């Protein structure tokens, strides 16, 4: 097994997931892969940033500057985005939406730093979709009650119930596949550029990174969070 996080000895860059080491867990062989390592690195970066932000805000000044200014700008932009979509319900979901936004964004752009984006692994995006799916139906049952949920499944006619059920089940699949496919396609394209062109791929691929990593990564982050907020707001209804 290749033990690199992104680099491969054969073609220069490898977009495949590789096992780094394995261990026995109750008689089963379990592999620690490049995805696990990249997730750990991203998690440590986020935790480090959160600790630094917490300390900065504890000693905040009236006129923000430097790191404090960056933290306040991030919080302000995220709060504005969430409030514009969820309105009065924004405060309840600000922490969740803000967390997945930062996590997905950093994961998507991690290819700029030599990592294989964790979101290019369906084992990462599917749990994110399932978390959203759980929140949707928890709030639907909480605010619409079971009678309202059943009524919604039978609209406009009871014969539509199977189709409505399929539509509900498809939500986490569509959310996770959209994010996974777009990030993986960018990872594959950049791997092909570096792998096929080798030393010809100098400087100019930076323009491709701007699109595949920065632009596309930011767009996919925004789309995932926007759909999550829309689905949850629709589940809450006018309560």
């Amino acid at each position: 097994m290749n033990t690199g996080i992104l680099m491969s000895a054969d073609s220069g860059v490898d977009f495949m997931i590789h096992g780094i080491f394995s261990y026995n867990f109750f008689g089963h062989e379990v592999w620690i892969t490049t995805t696990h390592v990249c997730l750990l690195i991203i998690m440590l970066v986020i935790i480090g940033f959160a600790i630094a932000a917490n300390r900065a805000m504890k000693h905040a000044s009236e006129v923000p500057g430097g790191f404090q200014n960056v933290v306040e700008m991030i919080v302000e932009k995220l709060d504005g985005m969430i409030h514009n979509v969820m309105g009065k319900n924004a405060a309840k979901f600000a922490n969740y939406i803000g967390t997945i936004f930062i996590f997905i964004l950093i994961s998507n752009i991690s290819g700029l730093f030599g990592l294989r984006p964790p979101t290019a692994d369906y084992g990462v995006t599917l749990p994110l979709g399932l978390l959203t799916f759980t929140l949707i139906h928890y709030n639907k049952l909480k605010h619409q009650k079971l009678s309202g949920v059943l009524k919604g499944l039978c609209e406009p006619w009871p014969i539509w119930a199977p189709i409505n059920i399929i539509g509900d089940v498809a939500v986490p699949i569509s959310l996770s596949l959209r994010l996974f496919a777009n990030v993986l396609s960018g990872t594959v394209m950049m791997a092909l550029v570096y792998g096929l062109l080798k030393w010809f791929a100098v400087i100019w691929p930076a323009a491709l990174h701007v699109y595949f990593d920065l632009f596309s990564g930011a767009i996919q982050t925004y789309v995932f969070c926007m759909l999550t907020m829309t689905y949850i707001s629709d589940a809450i209804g006018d309560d």
Side-chain angles (χ1 to χ4, degrees), residues 201-225:
V202 179
I203 299 178
W204 65 266
L208 297 178
H209 279 296
V210 169
Y211 176 78
F212 288 118
D213 292 323
L214 290 178
F215 179 74
S216 180
I219 289 294
Q220 293 308 314
T221 302
Y222 180 78
V223 169
F224 187 96
C225 292

Side-chain angles (χ1 to χ4, degrees), residues 160-212:
W160 284 88
I163 297 176
N164 291 331
I165 292 174
I166 293 173
D168 286 343
V169 173
V171 168
I173 299 174
S174 64
L175 279 174
S176 57
L177 278 178
R178 182 185 293 107
L179 177 60
F180 162 71
N182 280 281
V183 177
L184 179 62
S185 63
T187 303
V188 171
M189 290 297 296
M190 294 310 303
L192 290 175
V193 168
Y194 288 117
L196 295 176
L197 298 181
K198 299 185 182 301
W199 60 274
F200 285 102
V202 179
I203 299 178
W204 65 266
L208 297 178
H209 279 296
V210 169
Y211 176 78
F212 288 118

Side-chain angles (χ1 to χ4, degrees), residues 27-229:
H28 296 277
E29 187 179 32
V30 179
W31 279 93
I32 297 299
T33 67
T34 50
T35 297
H36 295 109
V37 175
C38 293
L39 278 174
L40 177 61
I41 293 172
I42 291 170
M43 182 180 69
L44 292 175
V45 169
I46 294 175
I47 292 174
F49 179 83
I51 293 173
N54 181 58
R55 291 183 177 178
M57 298 311 297
K58 282 184 177 179
H59 303 88
S61 58
E62 293 186 5
V63 181
F67 185 67
Q68 180 187 341
N69 198 27
V70 172
V71 173
E72 291 186 3
M73 181 183 67
I74 293 174
V75 173
E76 180 182 350
K77 294 298 182 182
L78 287 175
D79 281 347
M81 178 189 72
I82 298 168
H83 187 270
N84 288 338
V85 178
M86 305 194 76
K88 63 181 181 180
N89 299 306
K92 300 177 183 178
F93 300 97
N95 289 337
Y96 174 70
I97 300 299
T99 300
I100 63 171
F101 187 97
I102 293 173
F103 169 75
I104 295 174
L105 180 61
I106 295 179
S107 295
N108 288 352
I109 67 175
S110 61
L112 291 172
F113 306 100
L115 301 179
R116 185 186 189 279
T119 41
D121 185 339
Y122 194 59
V124 174
T125 60
L126 180 59
L128 291 173
L130 291 175
L131 280 174
T132 294
F133 179 78
T134 302
L135 278 176
I136 292 170
H137 289 279
Y138 170 78
N139 284 281
K140 187 175 289 188
L141 286 171
K142 179 180 178 180
H143 294 275
Q144 300 183 26
K145 309 303 180 184
L146 181 60
S147 58
V149 174
L150 295 176
K151 181 181 178 181
L153 290 176
C154 296
E155 290 180 348
W157 301 99
I159 196 174
W160 284 88
I163 297 176
N164 291 331
I165 292 174
I166 293 173
D168 286 343
V169 173
V171 168
I173 299 174
S174 64
L175 279 174
S176 57
L177 278 178
R178 182 185 293 107
L179 177 60
F180 162 71
N182 280 281
V183 177
L184 179 62
S185 63
T187 303
V188 171
M189 290 297 296
M190 294 310 303
L192 290 175
V193 168
Y194 288 117
L196 295 176
L197 298 181
K198 299 185 182 301
W199 60 274
F200 285 102
V202 179
I203 299 178
W204 65 266
L208 297 178
H209 279 296
V210 169
Y211 176 78
F212 288 118
D213 292 323
L214 290 178
F215 179 74
S216 180
I219 289 294
Q220 293 308 314
T221 302
Y222 180 78
V223 169
F224 187 96
C225 292
M226 186 62 64
L227 288 175
T228 295
M229 292 186 288

